[in-house]
Amino acid sequence: MTDAASDHLPHTDSPHTVSGPIGHNEPRARARRTVAGKGRYVDDIVLPRMLHVAFLRSPHAHAAILSIDAAEAREAPGIVAVVTGKDMATQCTPYAGSHQLFKRLKAPDQYPLAVDRVLWQGEPVVAVVATSRALAEDAAELVDVDYDILPAVTSFERGTPPAVQLHDDIPDNIALVEQLGTATVGEDFPGADQVFEAQFRFGRITGTTLEPRGIIADYEPREGALTVHCSHQCPHQQQDIFARHLGLPEHKVRVLCPDVGGAFGLKQQLYGDEFAVCALSIMLGRPVKFIADRLESMVSDNHARDHAATARIAVKSDGTIVGMEVDDIFGIGPYSQYPRSSVGEGNHVLRITGAPYRLDDYRARLTMVYQNKSMIGHYRSVGHPVACAITEGLVDLAADGLGLDPADIRRRNFVRSSDCPRVSPGGIDMPDMSLETCFDAVVAAMDLPALRAEQAEMRKKGVYRGIGIAAFVELTASGPEYYGPGGNRITSQEGCHLKLEPSGVVRCWISVTDQGQGTDTGIGQVVASHLGVAMADVRVFSGDSETTPYGGGAWASRGIAIGGEAALRAATALKANILELAAVVLQADAGTLDIVGGRVVDRDTGTERMPLSDVARIGYFRQDTLPPGVQPELSVVRHYVTPRGRKFMATNGVHAAHVEVDTQTGIVRCLGHWVAHDAGVVVNPSLVEEQIRGGVVQGIGSALFEELRYDDDGQMLSGSLADYLVPMASEMPEITVLHVEGTGVEEELGAKGVGEAGVAGSPAAIMNAVNDAIAGAGLGQRIHTLPLSPERILGALGKVPGEL
Amino acid sequence: MKAYPFDYIRAESVDDVLSALDRYGTEARIIAGGQSLMPMLNFRLARPEVLIDINRLAELSGIEDRGDHIRVGALTRHVDVARSPIIARHVPVVAEAMTHVAHPAVRNRGTLGGSLCLADPAAELPACMVALGADLVVAGNNGRRTVPADAFFMGMFETAVDDGEMLIEVLLPKSGPGTRSAMDEVARRHGDYAIVGAAAVAEMDGPAFRDLRLVYFGVEDKPILARETAAALIGQSWSPALAEDLKSTLAQDLSPNDDSQASSAMRLHLADVLARRLLPRLADPDGPHPSRTENESVSR
Amino acid sequence: MSDRSYSVSMTVNGEVVNANVSARTNLVDFLRQDLELTGSHVGCEHGVCGACTVRVDGRIMRGCLLLAVQADGQSVETIEGMAGDPLMTSLQDVFVEENALQCGFCTPAMLLTAHEFISRVVETGAYRPDRDAIRDTISGNYCRCTGYQSIVQAVERVLIQYETAPTKAPNGAPNPGSDR
């Protein structure tokens, strides 16, 4: 294993120097357990007298519920309860995915189960609780729901009055229209020599976590306490929701998120079926388990993307980009997701499009529409891949139109480090950018001139290869400025609780959560480094709303960027407390002491004075030897909230894709992929690299394979993994990840978020590479519709008819 | 999801199976490898009253060289077909097809007979049977009968196996000195069912086609023998000029399905592409085959 | 509708297990729910994702595409039962070192697939697989977290280790080379 820490490309001189495990490829404690099959996922948990629920889901995309007859089901073997939406609605208060920064957003109330109308195929209608899942499914078949089928809204065409209305008070089915920029969409671009326009289409996709959603709710009636085990990213958020909407005191709601088998933003919201499980446990006074099966995952997990955008780029003849415009229609399904609202993805498209470039004339419009399809929610890299593909598709279009090299036009228009601090026209604060450094790193790693030469040679032989480049600006580590004024009860702080145990080892509880990213390990590295102890002497716990400090969990790439800073502060504070106590014992000045390798040493000479075990022993067991008034504090909690006014920690990166298009079959082969990414200080290179690679693969999935297709009646056509094509190892390329350590971070740790980077740029890079192979060789038109299926590619090549 | 309840019978002999079929009629389903039936059961799309498990029928397993043909028992696992030196030597088209079939864990359990009886229109093995002109042996209470592959596959998930019958074995003609075969397919991902695929077995007179069985799968509801296309090629040596006419004869042979996976036009296009890739391989197995190139129809 | 039970006897991770199972219970549900062997995971129940892969009579198979009643009289091994196997131990160690897993949900099955692959290569010694061959082999196992590259890297490392030291061939490895 190479220690990639040595391969870092400094963007500027790094001010961050700390000894200890930061920067090393520390292995993950959790991984040692999970390779042995000792993972503990929700479905692995069995509680005494636990019941199982199966949901009867709507077979129709849009229908009125006329009646529900559950008499026969209630008599079926093993059945404990059959609960309809009307029954369920009495158990909780409704919820709406509003956001006060977008006051015009129309967000109708939702209930856990459909009450009198179903708005998508797969919406839960009736909960059937039994002693086993199989028996619950048997009985669910006996429930007779009488539907009046209504026409479904499945497409979004601007300006055409909808034939059907989803919500009573929203006659046009439009959830929100939002505009920003220096001019109105459609206006001329002053100062431009040429304007290029393209239509972009992004298919519906979904995170497809390998572990399906799952929850066990365990209500103890005598205590009035609800304990929930769920596969979720945000335990404190769920604690707040369950308490408020079920009318429970918050300190009697505990949410545990054990090992989570993939989340990717999909496990970040409230789902009606999961909420219903909590209510069922309260109703029945017994533990109730729900594990989504794959068929219901496909229709009930939040989907993402589903955008249709018209976009323009305005350039001067010399290749200077002067302006950009995006007009995005975003289908969000039947409701706005709760508690974060569904604005996030559209808002990101609005704000990040064009961001890597030094343009000032920018206009953007977002139209969010309700549809009779599954809910749209947050999925990894929310909005970034859409904004990046639009931006980079336009840049390639302009390069082609002006006869410029796609690399050259980018290099000359990037926001440079010297342009920063800058606020982009979309409102992104850029304290510093390292796009040029990232770009140069990618170009060098892939040897772009050599690949171009090879491409030209291969073309002569009738082999069509393409190179696609995509730069992106990435919003990580969300601060309090989005959900705070939005009125959404989503905390942006993270916390860390450290306790020195009597033997001198350290327990660490954190509010950020770990779904496999290695957050626990990264935090451990921060604590070990800043406290001065060995990794082996720090044990990290997360995913429990009762025992960890209050915090956000996992969202928007915050684990190390924010959680790490909280850990750094906790470690620094604990270190000060330890040294203060040691100073008393040693009758020394605390300022002359340090902790290195688990020992108190003289700061200047490094001479050992006493091991931490001795400090702890005295602090816990020999207080009698301490002078009066000395209070050992060997446990500390620290929290961290990002600087006021900073909405995000903006960073950036560059992707390049190398592909070969079989122009006869439309099959794309990925030959190589490169990513240079600015994560600031990299705490654990191997964790960052494979997380980025995983993101690249998800992005390639959305670019080439994954698409949730519906028919005109709103019936999903890709409802299983046989139809919804997730990337497999065979089709994926080797992916080179390059670290660029940029600045512009106020935090002492100096780490930026990394979770979005892989997904953010890979679809755009693949799209541009395919277009380079096809249109670049003069064989066909450019395609801006994802995924780039064989049929769409053959269509672009004029070999089969069909819409692009 | 969990399967709908059913009863289970473990058969110990072919007679066991036949008597159970006789007793339960259409309420019974035979399970071999189960790699396609089990998802149907798990999703409650198949609801037999009784499942007849034939996995212990050793007599249905194995690959045997019987002189002029190879006998493969219906219960022979994909993995064993794929790794068989007998198959590789005498029925190379099947060996080639196996490289496209699913993934290790599925190949370890799935069976040849199961694939053939499922008769998925996009599956490789039924098309290979038709291209080879294989004979399929079916047993029923009235004894055994041999069904030529041409007549075995009747439609989507539909075969000539009647109620009360089961597939016993497959008899594959051995490759002769002039026999050449090849198969190829277009699939989104390795191991997936094909969008379109083709298997071809030819008897060659030097460079000329003496006989050709070019069979498409994934195009219609069952494997389709491209008779007109083959007829146009018989007696001819492969040349790029022949490629020019393929699409028009293929259009006579094929009425491709139009569905969410691919349009009819796309399937016809891919059928043409596959023919252009396979036929030169038959004509000159040692020659260079720039299969991914745009100008393959121009020159080699 | 009949949901009667069938008595089965099988060897699971070397121990004889006698149980009554409903015919409709698939093998992975039986292992997880009845035997509390939760190292095998359920990801799709239609044989696509590969997370439920277990070994039956020495060959890897989809635990969701087998009925528990079908395993009567057979030997079933799960990740838990492979704990003492030297090749599996190497794979597990190298997977951790290479960070070849994130959430870990796919990992036990991925390890069983890699184990069978390397066992066969060592057994047959017939060819030296490249990374593409590793990718083909593990393509029946979805991973949504990694970019597959660290998994390929880990499998390749262990493969090279075993290829260059064939005396270390795993004990009790299956004999997938036999042509029945």
Side-chain angles (χ1 to χ4, degrees):
Chain A
M1 180 164 52
T2 57
D3 190 338
S6 57
D7 301 335
H8 283 206
L9 304 162
H11 167 58
T12 53
D13 288 338
S14 171
H16 306 287
T17 50
V18 64
S19 58
I22 287 184
H24 295 274
N25 291 333
E26 295 292 337
R28 293 159 48 215
R30 194 188 290 248
R32 292 194 190 287
R33 183 163 53 78
T34 48
V35 292
K38 298 295 173 63
R40 189 172 165 83
Y41 307 90
V42 171
D43 195 28
D44 301 339
I45 298 170
V46 175
L47 298 179
R49 284 176 48 78
M50 187 170 77
L51 299 168
H52 300 262
V53 61
F55 291 99
L56 183 65
R57 295 177 183 275
S58 170
H60 308 297
H62 195 187
I65 299 171
L66 301 179
S67 65
I68 297 176
D69 179 357
E72 199 181 345
R74 288 195 172 95
E75 300 305 315
I79 293 306
V80 175
V82 180
V83 178
T84 66
K86 278 205 173 79
D87 304 334
M88 184 61 68
T90 64
Q91 303 294 313
C92 61
T93 54
Y95 46 96
S98 58
H99 195 298
Q100 296 309 311
L101 282 178
F102 307 90
K103 287 203 162 48
R104 291 186 299 274
L105 170 64
K106 295 171 186 156
D109 278 353
Q110 302 173 57
Y111 290 90
L113 306 178
V115 177
D116 49 21
R117 219 148 46 101
V118 289
L119 291 181
W120 85 90
Q121 180 221 340
E123 182 170 3
V125 177
V126 177
V128 181
V129 187
T131 52
S132 79
R133 171 73 182 225
L135 292 175
E137 288 181 16
D138 292 345
E141 293 191 352
L142 304 174
V143 177
D144 185 17
V145 183
D146 190 11
Y147 291 104
D148 178 20
I149 300 168
L150 302 167
V153 176
T154 56
S155 63
F156 37 68
E157 299 298 326
R158 188 190 293 288
T160 50
V164 193
Q165 192 174 330
L166 269 69
H167 300 288
D168 290 343
D169 49 348
I170 311 176
D172 54 5
N173 296 327
I174 291 177
L176 175 69
V177 178
E178 189 75 8
Q179 303 193 58
L180 65 79
T182 42
T184 306
V185 166
E187 280 183 32
D188 287 343
F189 288 95
D193 293 326
Q194 290 201 61
V195 176
F196 300 93
E197 179 176 319
Q199 316 288 325
F200 294 83
R201 188 76 178 81
F202 300 87
R204 260 183 184 244
I205 56 175
T206 185
T208 325
T209 58
L210 207 52
E211 179 211 19
R213 290 186 298 108
I215 186 168
I216 301 170
D218 181 14
Y219 183 70
E220 166 44 55
R222 284 165 192 82
E223 229 186 326
L226 177 69
T227 303
V228 178
H229 307 260
C230 60
S231 185
H232 205 278
Q233 300 166 229
C234 309
H236 289 107
Q237 171 198 298
Q238 295 304 89
Q239 170 186 293
D240 171 70
I241 291 172
F242 296 150
R244 278 189 296 118
H245 288 282
L246 292 166
L248 299 169
E250 188 169 4
H251 63 303
K252 291 189 178 178
V253 178
R254 178 184 191 183
V255 178
L256 292 135
C257 301
D259 289 328
V260 173
F264 317 125
L266 190 154
K267 296 174 179 172
Q268 192 194 57
Q269 311 293 332
L270 179 68
Y271 286 89
D273 48 23
E274 295 177 18
F275 191 23
V277 171
C278 297
L280 289 168
S281 181
I282 294 172
M283 292 163 80
L284 301 169
R286 288 174 68 172
V288 180
K289 177 188 270 191
F290 165 63
I291 305 294
D293 68 44
R294 187 56 62 181
L295 295 190
E296 59 188 343
S297 293
M298 298 307 290
V299 293
S300 67
D301 288 357
N302 278 351
H303 298 170
R305 318 302 185 238
D306 209 355
H307 295 256
T310 303
R312 298 194 293 161
I313 185 170
V315 287
K316 290 189 172 168
S317 301
D318 65 0
T320 304
I321 301 171
V322 298
M324 214 175 267
E325 175 182 289
V326 58
D327 189 4
D328 181 32
I329 309 178
F330 174 28
I332 62 165
Y335 294 102
S336 176
Q337 68 174 356
Y338 182 76
R340 290 163 192 252
S341 91
S342 296
V343 181
E345 177 147 305
N347 185 49
H348 278 182
V349 174
L350 223 58
R351 294 188 175 277
I352 317 174
T353 300
Y357 297 103
R358 220 164 44 244
L359 55 92
D360 294 317
D361 188 349
Y362 178 73
R363 326 73 187 274
R365 177 166 63 189
L366 166 71
T367 308
M368 282 182 12
V369 298
Y370 287 117
Q371 316 153 292
N372 294 114
K373 295 183 182 177
S374 294
M375 298 276 289
I376 285 275
H378 288 171
Y379 167 45
R380 193 172 191 179
S381 207
V382 178
H384 290 68
V386 176
C388 179
I390 291 170
T391 305
E392 293 296 68
L394 288 175
V395 171
D396 267 15
L397 195 62
D400 186 43
L402 295 170
L404 295 173
D405 184 299
D408 292 344
I409 193 172
R410 288 182 167 80
R411 195 73 170 72
R412 72 181 293 160
N413 284 287
F414 279 141
V415 172
R416 299 164 300 212
S417 184
S418 58
D419 298 321
C420 297
R422 168 186 163 92
V423 179
S424 80
I428 309 297
D429 288 317
M430 300 175 168
D432 195 11
M433 288 279 115
S434 56
L435 285 157
E436 293 170 296
T437 313
C438 288
F439 180 81
D440 293 345
V442 161
V443 166
M446 71 193 296
D447 196 351
L448 182 58
L451 284 186
R452 284 290 181 207
E454 181 201 70
Q455 178 185 37
E457 279 305 304
M458 298 293 272
R459 265 185 203 168
K460 290 179 196 160
K461 297 178 191 164
V463 175
Y464 294 93
R465 294 187 168 176
I467 297 156
I469 302 174
F472 63 94
V473 166
E474 177 190 10
L475 306 181
T476 76
S478 296
E481 316 291 339
Y482 185 68
Y483 289 123
N488 315 77
R489 293 167 65 92
I490 310 292
T491 186
S492 64
Q493 81 165 19
E494 298 300 346
C496 176
H497 172 194
L498 292 177
K499 180 171 68 168
L500 184 69
E501 297 292 344
S503 60
V505 296
V506 179
R507 277 208 170 93
C508 171
W509 292 266
I510 53 172
S511 62
V512 288
T513 55
D514 188 339
Q515 294 79 39
Q517 307 92 319
T519 313
D520 286 359
T521 301
I523 296 284
Q525 288 175 260
V526 172
V527 170
S529 292
H530 284 270
L531 188 56
V533 300
M535 270 301 279
D537 290 342
V538 181
R539 186 156 191 227
V540 182
F541 302 86
S542 62
D544 180 352
S545 74
E546 189 159 276
T547 59
T548 66
Y550 202 89
W555 53 279
S557 292
R558 62 196 303 99
I560 297 298
I562 301 178
E565 185 70 9
L568 182 152
R569 291 174 178 224
T572 306
L574 179 59
K575 182 175 178 175
N577 290 359
I578 291 170
L579 292 181
E580 203 175 305
L581 180 60
V584 170
V585 175
L586 296 168
Q587 299 188 328
D589 177 356
T592 66
L593 301 174
D594 197 1
I595 302 175
V596 176
R599 294 175 170 79
V600 177
V601 300
D602 272 329
R603 169 161 291 173
D604 293 337
T605 65
T607 310
E608 179 177 341
R609 299 298 300 274
M610 62 192 300
L612 286 194
S613 54
D614 271 3
V615 185
R617 181 180 56 79
I618 293 165
Y620 287 118
F621 306 132
R622 295 306 306 272
Q623 297 96 335
D624 59 297
T625 64
L626 300 174
V630 171
Q631 293 289 351
E633 288 284 358
L634 299 180
S635 189
V636 303
V637 182
R638 286 294 181 277
H639 292 90
Y640 182 68
V641 181
T642 58
R644 287 325 86 75
R646 190 180 82 188
K647 296 188 188 74
F648 298 96
M649 191 186 274
T651 183
N652 56 249
V654 173
H655 282 245
H658 187 212
V659 305
E660 184 175 306
V661 179
D662 183 335
T663 55
Q664 299 287 329
T665 63
I667 298 285
V668 176
R669 194 153 65 102
C670 297
L671 303 173
H673 201 101
W674 296 263
V675 186
H677 177 247
D678 180 351
V681 169
V682 175
V683 171
N684 187 321
S686 73
L687 298 187
V688 172
E689 283 158 25
E690 203 57 28
Q691 195 182 152
I692 288 180
R693 289 197 189 100
V696 169
V697 163
Q698 289 189 3
I700 294 176
S702 70
L704 295 178
F705 300 108
E706 298 176 40
E707 185 171 24
L708 293 162
R709 298 164 71 118
Y710 283 85
D711 70 11
D712 292 343
D713 296 326
Q715 292 290 319
M716 192 192 282
L717 302 173
S718 21
S720 82
L721 292 184
D723 311 300
Y724 185 76
L725 306 181
V726 167
M728 301 193 295
S730 282
E731 283 71 31
M732 291 302 110
E734 298 280 318
I735 300 158
T736 303
V737 178
L738 306 149
H739 301 287
V740 169
E741 188 178 320
T743 59
V745 180
E746 293 176 45
E747 285 75 5
E748 188 182 341
L749 181 61
K752 307 176 187 180
V754 301
E756 329 296 332
V759 184
S762 48
I766 295 283
M767 180 184 79
N768 282 352
V770 169
N771 283 330
D772 183 45
I774 296 174
L779 294 178
Q781 313 171 46
R782 286 175 182 278
I783 323 171
H784 297 114
T785 297
L786 300 185
L788 300 159
S789 62
E791 188 145 27
R792 287 184 180 125
I793 288 173
L794 292 175
L797 288 162
K799 295 194 168 166
V800 303
E803 285 177 39
L804 291 186
Chain B
M1 283 179 79
K2 306 303 170 196
Y4 198 75
F6 49 78
D7 283 341
Y8 172 82
I9 294 173
R10 179 182 302 137
E12 303 292 345
S13 67
V14 170
D15 285 345
D16 268 6
V17 181
L18 296 179
S19 67
L21 286 173
D22 193 39
R23 183 166 155 210
Y24 295 102
T26 55
E27 303 302 333
R29 284 288 293 266
I30 293 173
I31 184 164
Q35 302 300 285
S36 298
L37 178 56
M38 280 295 296
M40 305 283 284
L41 293 171
N42 287 346
F43 289 166
R44 298 185 173 226
L45 296 170
R47 299 177 174 221
E49 277 188 16
V50 180
L51 210 56
I52 305 168
D53 185 358
I54 61 169
N55 279 278
R56 302 297 166 96
L57 271 62
E59 59 191 290
L60 295 192
S61 272
I63 299 164
E64 189 187 341
D65 186 341
R66 288 187 175 168
D68 63 338
H69 68 268
I70 306 298
R71 180 261 184 191
V72 184
L75 197 64
T76 310
R77 311 284 172 190
H78 291 318
V79 64
D80 297 319
V81 175
R83 291 175 182 171
S84 163
I86 296 174
I87 295 291
R89 177 157 175 220
H90 296 295
V91 206
V93 71
V94 169
E96 190 180 358
M98 290 310 305
T99 66
H100 294 274
V101 175
H103 303 288
V106 171
R107 288 202 290 265
N108 282 347
R109 181 71 180 176
T111 66
L112 175 66
S115 288
L116 301 182
C117 289
L118 177 70
D120 189 304
E124 293 84 0
L125 293 170
C128 288
M129 296 302 117
V130 176
L132 285 163
D135 283 329
L136 290 84
V137 179
V138 171
N141 279 325
N142 299 324
R144 299 188 174 194
R145 64 190 179 102
T146 299
V147 184
D150 279 350
F152 186 85
F153 303 101
M154 299 174 67
M156 191 174 291
F157 306 119
E158 196 187 338
T159 70
V161 179
D162 283 333
D163 293 345
E165 288 186 323
M166 68 181 292
L167 180 66
I168 296 294
E169 62 196 14
V170 178
L171 310 178
L172 306 171
K174 283 164 79 167
S175 213
T179 311
R180 306 257 172 80
S181 67
M183 69 81 56
D184 200 358
E185 66 180 44
V186 179
R188 297 285 292 275
R189 302 174 306 176
H190 179 81
D192 283 351
Y193 278 120
I195 304 171
V196 174
V201 178
E203 295 299 327
M204 305 300 292
D205 265 338
F209 292 99
R210 184 154 54 83
D211 186 25
L212 171 64
R213 292 175 68 84
L214 172 63
V215 179
Y216 283 95
F217 53 99
V219 174
E220 297 186 33
D221 289 351
K222 59 180 184 176
I224 300 294
L225 189 59
R227 294 174 198 280
E228 296 296 328
T229 305
L233 291 166
I234 299 302
Q236 310 247 28
S237 295
W238 175 257
S239 75
L242 285 178
E244 301 304 317
D245 300 326
L246 281 175
K247 199 163 184 179
S248 60
T249 55
L250 285 170
Q252 295 171 45
D253 285 321
L254 306 175
S255 305
N257 288 339
D258 202 347
D259 56 35
S260 67
Q261 169 90 319
S263 68
S264 174
M266 168 141 163
R267 285 196 163 91
L268 186 59
H269 167 78
L270 293 178
D272 180 40
V273 169
L274 288 174
R276 288 163 187 249
R277 289 180 180 182
L278 287 177
L279 297 174
R281 284 179 58 194
L282 299 175
D284 181 5
D286 303 320
H289 302 292
S291 62
R292 289 181 180 276
T293 67
E294 178 70 15
N295 42 4
E296 66 190 63
S297 59
V298 181
S299 65
R300 285 206 295 114
Chain C
M1 162 163 71
S2 157
D3 201 1
R4 54 178 278 234
S5 285
Y6 296 78
S7 95
V8 293
S9 177
M10 65 183 88
T11 306
V12 179
N13 296 334
E15 290 178 21
V16 174
V17 170
N18 297 300
N20 286 314
V21 295
S22 163
R24 63 167 153 171
T25 301
N26 66 40
L27 180 60
V28 69
D29 280 351
F30 173 70
L31 293 169
R32 289 177 49 79
Q33 292 164 15
D34 294 40
L35 305 187
E36 298 178 346
L37 291 166
T38 55
S40 312
H41 301 138
V42 177
C44 76
E45 294 177 304
H46 55 294
V48 180
C49 79
C52 63
T53 302
V54 295
R55 290 203 333 180
V56 180
D57 282 353
R59 285 179 168 182
I60 57 165
M61 293 181 188
R62 300 284 199 239
C64 74
L65 299 187
L66 279 164
L67 299 169
V69 67
Q70 290 185 292
D72 181 36
Q74 297 192 302
S75 168
V76 178
E77 287 161 291
T78 68
I79 191 71
E80 292 94 337
M82 303 287 286
D85 179 278
L87 172 56
M88 181 55 80
T89 305
S90 297
L91 279 164
Q92 287 168 326
D93 289 347
V94 176
F95 264 57
V96 173
E97 282 174 29
E98 294 287 347
N99 191 33
L101 66 149
Q102 286 174 37
C103 79
F105 199 76
C106 73
T107 310
M110 192 72 83
L111 287 165
L112 287 170
T113 301
H115 185 280
E116 178 172 290
F117 174 71
I118 295 175
S119 297
R120 177 166 164 78
V121 171
V122 171
E123 197 76 29
T124 61
Y127 61 106
R128 185 192 171 81
D130 55 15
R131 286 168 80 96
D132 284 344
I134 298 171
R135 285 182 180 274
D136 276 358
T137 294
I138 63 168
S139 278
N141 294 75
Y142 283 4
C143 170
R144 272 306 256 180
C145 300
T146 72
Y148 291 113
Q149 192 163 319
S150 56
I151 299 173
V152 174
Q153 176 71 20
V155 174
E156 188 183 42
R157 249 184 77 187
V158 177
L159 182 61
I160 289 168
Q161 186 186 320
Y162 270 78
E163 266 195 325
T164 52
T167 50
K168 285 188 188 169
N171 298 328
N175 183 20
S178 66
D179 202 328
R180 287 192 285 178

